Amino acid sequence: KYTIDCTKPAGDNIFDTAAFEKYVHDRIKVDGRTNNLGSVVAITRNGATITVTAANGTIAKRYVKYLAKKYLKKTIVSEWLRVVAVSKTGYELRYRPMAIDDAAAEDE
């Protein structure tokens, strides 16, 4: 059971959790094939948290992170968001720290 917490970006309305859930559902592979979830994998959304429940050894935690990063790239929000592990079974979407250019700040 792996979770992806999207509360911060979803609360700021820059991330659509329903579209992300659909993306994961459409792209996840079981036994090398998409649309092969069956009873092995279940994807649920509870508010702004996506939960992927799989049988032991079916899906790796790293694969869930891979899908999340691919979705961020696709929706062009990867410049502002990143996927961070917060526990053994969970990830969280956090804002990237923005570097402020001192020269640009002085010009304004």
Side-chain angles (χ1 to χ4, degrees), residues 3-49:
T3 60
I4 302 173
D5 186 14
C6 313
T7 48
K8 291 179 184 175
D12 294 338
N13 293 326
I14 66 164
F15 191 79
D16 185 13
T17 54
F20 178 54
E21 178 189 18
K22 183 176 179 346
Y23 179 85
V24 170
H25 186 273
D26 293 345
R27 300 283 200 236
I28 203 162
K29 289 184 178 182
V30 177
D31 295 329
R33 303 179 70 191
T34 57
N35 296 327
N36 191 21
L37 300 180
S39 62
V40 178
V41 177
I43 302 166
T44 57
R45 178 171 43 105
N46 184 10
T49 303

Side-chain angles (χ1 to χ4, degrees), residues 63-77:
Y63 184 58
V64 175
K65 182 177 181 177
Y66 168 80
L67 289 172
K69 288 174 72 173
K70 291 290 272 189
Y71 181 76
L72 293 178
K73 279 276 199 199
K74 179 185 172 222
T75 57
I76 315 171
V77 294

